[in-house]
Amino acid sequence: MSKRVVTVSALAGIALLAGAGAYAFAGETRSAGPEMTKGSVGYVAPGKDEDGSLTFTARVADDSGVRNLKVLAWPASMAPAPDAEDMAHVESATCEPAGPSGDAAALCTYKVKVTAAEAAESPKGAWHVAVLASAEDGGRTFAPKAAGFTVKG
């Protein structure tokens, strides 16, 4: 099992990262933190002889620059839902400049492999993607339900 899945499943208490579909980003932002837009989640189911993947992308912008974007997929049935402090223990997306030099926006992408065994162990039903964006000046924006998808059984 990959380090990413071990880290995430330790937090969620289950093997995660399986689902289907992609939905529009519905992040919650504060004026003091980075702005997240154009978020989406995509899932490719594992095949008979090949792994699948879970991918989340979003545009993140802050006047001071983007430090990172932490990403966690979690089943809606999980209680309690993850909070901003939980996000310190998950991996970051890869963020690249989204525009011309001097633009403080980044396009952030998080992609993780999903094996057939992980997909089989994952809870079925609604899932959410939580994200925590951090700016260079220390501002943060947490969106516990930044995107959603459904794991079909």
Side-chain angles (χ1 to χ4, degrees):
M1 186 180 298
S2 74
K3 177 182 172 190
R4 292 176 206 176
V5 173
V6 171
T7 300
V8 172
S9 63
L11 257 181
I14 55 173
L16 15 130
L17 306 173
Y23 296 88
F25 185 82
E28 146 192 334
T29 61
R30 299 180 312 219
S31 60
E35 178 182 342
M36 297 179 288
T37 58
K38 299 182 182 178
S40 65
V41 62
Y43 175 73
V44 175
K48 186 172 186 167
D49 295 322
E50 59 186 30
D51 293 330
S53 64
L54 177 72
T55 305
F56 176 80
T57 60
R59 184 179 189 278
V60 183
D62 188 86
D63 291 342
S64 69
V66 176
R67 179 179 298 151
N68 64 31
L69 180 71
K70 301 272 189 166
V71 179
L72 173 67
W74 59 281
S77 61
M78 187 176 93
D83 60 25
E85 287 73 37
D86 293 329
M87 301 301 286
H89 305 288
V90 300
E91 290 187 328
S92 295
T94 301
C95 297
E96 302 291 334
S101 180
D103 185 5
L107 180 60
C108 299
T109 303
Y110 176 79
K111 185 171 183 174
V112 64
K113 176 177 71 171
V114 179
T115 67
E118 291 164 344
E121 293 173 3
S122 296
K124 307 309 179 232
W127 281 64
H128 304 291
V129 176
V131 296
L132 176 65
S134 298
E136 291 294 343
D137 65 4
R140 298 184 330 160
T141 300
F142 176 61
K145 296 179 182 178
F149 58 98
T150 301
V151 174
K152 297 184 179 188

